[in-house]
Structure formats: structure tokens, C-alpha cells
Amino acid sequence: MLQEVADGVLVHESGFIQSNSVVVQGRDGVLLIDPGITSSEMADLANDLRRLGQPVVAGFSTHPDWDHVLWHPDFGDAPRYGTARCAASIRGVLADPDWKNRVAEGLPPEHADEIPMDLLGLITGLPADAAHIPWDGPGIRIIEHQAHAPGHAALLIKERRVLVAGDMLSDILMPFLDLEAADPLGDYLAALRLFDGVADDADAVIPGHGSVGGAGQLRARIEQDREYVQALRDGRVPDDPRVGPSAPLDWLPEVHDWQLQRLAQKSQGGMTSG
């Protein structure tokens, strides 16, 4: 079911790790951001939009992870956008003749048979200097950074004072670093500084996974994520409930430990962060 979080901005939450599909109403239809996750959930979303008389006129993927580049035939053939780096990354995946099997290896087993693959990743990269999404609706600023994944972008819906954060600023997931990058910690801290710069312009934050938060929660989540990353940088144990004994998901402490191991390996290569 769609829930309105601001005027003309609605969210559909999936049963898979509280994944949020974001709907932004424009003049002639809606922009659909990161729709997912299962075929039935996306069909339900399409039905909700039909009942509202709102066709999908554009799509946007905040980054190239499989759960953010999905699509459903019921959404139609509207153009689907991402940053240039995001589009290049997913094109690299799709260039592998065995890509469906490779992607399938990373799908959650309980949902694997329900996740549509045929339209996965068919996005168009915007120009590298694109600052806004090209569509006939509220102005949406693209805040690209290198933190969670190549070409990751948050979106600031300026007129509605909403920040769509992609896979960052979650209340249930700690920062998932791009461990293929040269400086994962430095990249993440730089992205959080960008969020600091727009926090006064947003009254709500929508993470890729987790609960929608208000303005106060936006700042609190920036600080919580910064503390987690700085603890990893400084070799401290993070005081973060998302990775402790009461973690919202029982596998998060394992991901945390894996990130520590990978960072230790990278430090041998002279990685820096600031």
C-alpha cells in the first residue's frame, strides 16, 4: 500500500528488508524511484498507480545493486535513468552472457523465484554533469557521490523537502561500504558531508531500506553513520545497535565483521581516508 510522506511523494514498502519504492507525482504521471522487490509487489504498486490515474512517465535507479535496478512490465516503457557511472556499472554486469545466473547467486533464497529478471538494469545513464532528473515534475536534484556503490545518488525533491537517500541513512542497516573503491571510508565520510549540506532543505528522509524519518532523524542518522565509519577508521568498536547483540537483522554483525576484514586487507595497500 502506498503511504504519502509529503505532498505528492509516496512510498511503497517491500517485505524484503523494508525496501522502499518511491513515487513522485508530476504533471502527467509519476517518477518511480527504485521499484521492487517481487513481481507481486510491483504489480500491486502498478495497480495502486492505475487507481490513482497516474501512469509511470520516468524511472530512476539510485545505484546499480540488483534490488535497485528492477522493473515490471506493468510500469510500461517509460525511460529509466541513473547516473552515468551507475549505468556503466550495470551495463558491465549485463555484458556477461551468464549474468542472470551470477545475479541469481546473490538473491535472497526466500524471494529468488519471485524477482523478475527480464527488465533488470535497463537504464539510461544521464550526462556526467547532470544536476537534475529530466522530467515534467517537481525539480529533483541529483546528489552523486562515491560511498555505497559506483555512481550512487541521493535525490533531493526540493519543492517537497524530501531527501531520497538510496542505500544510506537507514535506521536498520549500518553503512555498507563500497569495498572495491580505493578509499571506502573516505568516500563515505565525504558523502555524509554532502548530506550535511542539504539537511536544512529536507523535512523527511527516505532510505532505500528502513523507516522514513523526519528532519531530526535525518541529522541523527547522518551522525550515527559518521560515528560508525569513523570507528572503523580509528580501529574502535562502534557503539551502534545496528551491529550489536540487538541488531535488527541477525546477519548484520556478520556483514560488519566482513567489512572489518576487507578493510584490514585494503590497509596493507596503503589506503587512506579523511
Side-chain angles (χ1 to χ4, degrees):
M1 179 181 297
L2 283 168
Q3 300 289 332
E4 189 169 55
V5 300
D7 183 25
V9 181
L10 306 99
V11 172
H12 179 280
E13 184 182 293
S14 166
F16 173 69
I17 320 181
Q18 291 181 246
S19 299
N20 292 315
S21 304
V22 182
V23 172
V24 185
Q25 294 178 326
R27 292 178 179 83
D28 301 316
V30 304
L31 170 70
L32 191 52
I33 304 168
D34 291 350
I37 292 294
T38 66
S39 289
S40 60
E41 287 174 330
M42 286 189 278
D44 287 345
L45 174 55
N47 287 333
D48 287 343
L49 294 175
R50 274 194 292 270
R51 282 192 289 269
L52 293 173
Q54 296 282 324
V56 177
V57 297
F60 189 89
S61 291
T62 58
H63 61 289
D65 289 351
W66 68 265
D67 52 329
H68 294 262
V69 291
L70 298 170
W71 201 251
H72 191 280
D74 289 353
F75 297 147
D77 58 358
R80 300 160 56 189
Y81 301 115
T83 65
R85 288 194 65 190
C86 171
S89 179
I90 194 63
R91 277 199 306 271
V93 172
L94 300 180
D96 183 344
D98 195 37
W99 73 265
K100 284 190 177 181
N101 288 329
R102 291 185 178 275
V103 171
E105 293 174 357
L107 300 180
E110 68 273 23
H111 296 298
D113 293 339
E114 306 174 88
I115 296 171
M117 305 282 278
D118 290 343
L119 300 176
L120 182 145
L122 303 180
I123 64 174
T124 297
L126 294 172
D129 59 350
H132 294 85
I133 294 178
W135 82 301
D136 192 13
I140 301 180
R141 178 183 165 192
I142 300 169
I143 305 171
E144 184 177 355
H145 46 270
Q146 309 310 321
H148 171 72
H152 192 280
L155 302 174
L156 180 64
I157 310 170
K158 295 181 287 187
E159 297 172 33
R160 306 294 185 252
R161 295 185 60 82
V162 174
L163 179 67
V164 180
D167 269 3
M168 299 178 69
L169 305 184
S170 170
D171 61 329
I172 64 168
L173 303 178
M174 76 291 189
F176 280 32
L177 308 173
D178 180 3
L179 293 165
E180 300 301 320
D183 186 5
L185 299 173
D187 288 346
Y188 216 100
L189 292 171
L192 294 174
R193 288 193 291 271
L194 289 177
F195 292 155
D196 277 330
V198 300
D200 287 342
D201 300 321
D203 295 327
V205 58
I206 306 173
H209 305 276
S211 304
V212 176
Q217 288 173 308
L218 167 57
R219 289 198 173 278
R221 292 182 190 186
I222 293 172
E223 290 307 314
Q224 185 178 38
D225 283 357
R226 180 180 288 117
E227 169 57 26
Y228 175 86
V229 175
Q230 289 177 338
L232 267 58
R233 180 196 64 187
D234 299 340
R236 295 182 283 111
V237 176
D239 181 16
D240 194 316
R242 296 171 296 183
V243 298
S246 60
L249 300 164
D250 58 10
W251 45 267
L252 288 176
E254 294 180 9
V255 176
H256 168 67
D257 290 342
W258 175 73
Q259 292 198 130
L260 288 176
Q261 293 169 7
R262 289 293 308 277
L263 289 169
Q265 293 168 358
K266 291 183 75 69
S267 68
Q268 299 174 4
M271 184 186 69
T272 61
S273 60

